[in-house]
Structure formats: C-alpha cells, structure tokens
Amino acid sequence: QGFKDNLHAVFCLAENAVGPRATRPDDIHVLYSGKTVEINNTDAEGRLILADGVAYACKDLGADIILDMATLTGAQGIATGKYHAAVLTNSEEWEKACVKAGRNCGDLVHPLVYCPELHFSEFTSAVADMKNSVADRDNTPSSCAGLFIASHIGFDWPGVWVHVDIAAPVHAGERATGFGVALLLSLFGGASEDPLLNLVSPLGCDGDSPAEEMERDSKRRRLV
C-alpha cells in the first residue's frame, strides 16, 4: 500500500500441543526480555509469545511504535462486546486515534482502562518477576492481560505501545470476519502514499484530521 516508513510484521506463533517440553504449572520461564515468569495458568500461553514479540520489536527492530494484536482473552467480549475490539495503550493520542480509525473503516474498537500502577500487581509472584495470569479474574482481566505484554518492553518505555484484543469480533458464528486488517490500514494510513488511506487515517496530518472533516461532510463520508 505504498508505506513510506519502515514497517515490520512479527508473527508470534506457537503450536499449543502436549509434549515433553510443554509448559507446566509452576514452571518458571525466562522470556526474551530477560524477565522471569511463573506459570500459574497454562491456558494463558498466548501472552508469553506476544511478550517475546514486542520485546523483539523493541530490542532488535528498534521500533518506536509497537502494536500487538491478538485473540487474547475471552473476557474481551464481556468488556467491549462482540462488535468492538478492546484497545489498551500508553498514549492517549493513540487511544483516540484507534477509536477514530475504527469508526472510519468499520473495525470498531473501544478503550480499556490503562492503569498499571493499580492493576499490574495482579501478577505478583514470590519466585519470579511476575506470574502469567491474574490473581483476581474479576479485576479487569483483559486490561491486565495487555499489561503483561507491555511489561516486557517496560512501562517507562518512551515509545508508543498499543494492544488490540480482537477475541470476539474476529468471528461471526463459525465464520471469520477478517477483523483487524482494515483497522491497521486506517490507523497507519497516514504513513502511506495511498490517497484513500491518507483520507481515513486519524494520524499524520496537520489541522483538522480527515476523520473530523468526514464527520462534518456527510457527502464525502458516503463516498469513502
């Protein structure tokens, strides 16, 4: 799509199969970030490779904007429903941009509470830097799951980190929806040479954003 900036896609994939090297309760893993994780829930496995993915993007790729997207928690559907993905980010600007991008392209998102100083304690471990699952499932588990990932680049990291939990909107019945493709194109469209993506992107422009212009101009919105 004519992107002008360096754009990397890191696929965090693992086979979730039983074997002699499978993760067991009470195992302690050293992740790519160098931090240790006590396993207290073997079903919270996806965040382990996502944590390695964001750490790799930070350490090896030198990314200044990191967005991770995954079907991470069943609680996402409870928190934001089956039509809106959940977004968690360390940047208020990017939180607003994600919401606008979702409205522009149809892949709707809604913010989760970002409050690591209150919520990350859910992962406290006596034998490691953290556990891999929360102590209290009633205390915003989708937000906490995202914080687990962020902790492996550090809450003091100066770059932009965005986490999008797409567990519910990626399927409708037994069919996949393709959710997320349009969202990424819209969100990062300002870094593209494609005029349509420039139009729908809420970032990378001066003055009124294209999204705000479209809200005032119903004819243009219909054309888009």
Side-chain angles (χ1 to χ4, degrees), residues 97 99-106 182-190 194-203 205 209-212 214 220-221 223-224:
V99 173
K100 288 183 179 180
R103 289 174 179 170
N104 290 348
C105 72
L183 177 64
L184 293 177
L185 288 171
S186 177
L187 183 61
F188 294 107
D194 187 300
L196 179 59
L197 294 185
N198 276 218
L199 182 67
V200 298
S201 176
L203 292 166
C205 59
S209 71
E212 291 168 340
M214 284 189 294
R220 181 184 296 177
R221 186 165 63 246
L223 290 174
V224 172

Side-chain angles (χ1 to χ4, degrees), residues 75-96:
Q76 175 272 309
I78 298 171
T80 61
K82 64 180 180 180
Y83 302 115
H84 292 73
V87 62
L88 186 72
T89 174
N90 63 356
S91 166
E92 184 178 5
E93 177 189 3
W94 277 75
E95 179 182 282
K96 293 177 179 177

Side-chain angles (χ1 to χ4, degrees), residues 61-123:
L61 300 179
D64 52 6
I65 300 169
I66 298 175
L67 184 147
D68 70 83
M69 179 180 288
T71 56
L72 194 62
T73 65
Q76 175 272 309
I78 298 171
T80 61
K82 64 180 180 180
Y83 302 115
H84 292 73
V87 62
L88 186 72
T89 174
N90 63 356
S91 166
E92 184 178 5
E93 177 189 3
W94 277 75
E95 179 182 282
K96 293 177 179 177
C98 287
V99 173
K100 288 183 179 180
R103 289 174 179 170
N104 290 348
C105 72
D107 281 355
L108 301 172
V109 302
H110 192 78
L112 292 172
V113 174
Y114 177 81
C115 193
E117 63 270 27
L118 293 181
H119 293 151
F120 191 66
S121 58
E122 289 290 344
F123 296 103

Side-chain angles (χ1 to χ4, degrees), residues 29 32 36-37 48 61 64 73 82 130 136 166 172-173 198 206:
H29 293 317
Y32 191 62
T36 54
V37 177
L48 301 177
L61 300 179
D64 52 6
T73 65
K82 64 180 180 180
M130 69 195 77
D136 184 357
I166 58 175
N198 276 218
D206 297 324

Side-chain angles (χ1 to χ4, degrees), residues 119-141:
H119 293 151
F120 191 66
S121 58
E122 289 290 344
F123 296 103
T124 299
S125 168
V127 293
D129 291 321
M130 69 195 77
K131 294 182 179 179
N132 76 317
S133 188
V134 294
D136 184 357
R137 287 178 176 268
D138 292 328
N139 189 17
T140 188

